């Protein structure tokens, strides 16, 4: 009794294994990308919002305190508000670029 699988050429088996592997990889990638749908976007918007607003409000708060306790020729509130906003924007840029790199690293290995 001979088996049908024994007569297959080794290259045919390798081709079949490669096709199955590629299909499994596509399914895994589809599952990962579907998990990062709406909730991922909302979470990222929240992260960006908080990372910009918290340093801005802290800077404004310290500036108001300095203007009340140490009045001078210039506005500490405006200067520290702008410093907090700048720091917050840099912080948001850092988080977004980190997430972007992580997404590209995840998809980079599967496309090859």
């Amino acid at each position: 009794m001979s088996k049908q699988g024994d007569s297959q050429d080794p290259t045919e088996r390798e081709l079949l294994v490669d096709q199955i592997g590629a299909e499994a990889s596509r399914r895994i990638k589809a599952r990962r990308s579907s998990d990062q749908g709406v909730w991922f976007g909302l979470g990222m918007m929240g992260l960006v919002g908080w990372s910009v607003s918290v340093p801005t409000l802290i800077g404004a708060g310290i500036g108001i305190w300095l203007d009340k306790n140490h009045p001078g020729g210039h506005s500490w509130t405006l200067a520290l508000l702008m410093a907090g906003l700048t720091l917050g924007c840099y912080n948001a840029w850092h988080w977004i670029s980190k997430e972007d790199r992580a997404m590209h690293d995840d998809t980079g290995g599967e496309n090859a």
Side-chain angles (χ1 to χ4, degrees):
M1 188 172 189
S2 68
K3 293 183 181 177
Q4 188 78 13
D6 291 342
S7 65
Q8 277 187 335
D9 188 22
T11 56
E12 289 178 21
R13 282 188 222 151
E14 291 172 6
L15 182 62
L16 182 62
V17 168
D18 289 343
Q19 288 174 346
I20 292 171
E23 178 65 26
S25 178
R26 281 192 294 272
R27 287 179 188 233
I28 290 170
K29 184 179 176 183
R31 274 193 209 126
R32 283 184 187 161
S33 64
S34 68
D35 291 344
Q36 294 183 353
V38 174
W39 294 113
F40 179 76
L42 288 174
M44 187 57 73
M45 281 191 331
L47 177 74
V48 168
W50 283 108
S51 67
V52 172
S53 63
V54 169
T56 303
L57 293 175
I58 289 173
I62 293 172
I64 290 170
W65 181 82
L66 283 172
D67 280 341
K68 284 184 182 177
N69 294 322
H70 304 287
H74 60 279
S75 171
W76 284 107
T77 303
L78 184 59
L80 291 178
L81 181 118
M82 292 305 294
L85 181 63
T86 302
L87 179 66
C89 288
Y90 174 77
N91 193 19
W93 172 79
H94 171 74
W95 280 105
I96 289 173
S97 66
K98 182 179 175 183
E99 286 296 321
D100 186 50
R101 271 183 298 202
M103 285 190 310
H104 285 291
D105 287 346
D106 284 348
T107 59
E110 293 173 3
N111 289 338

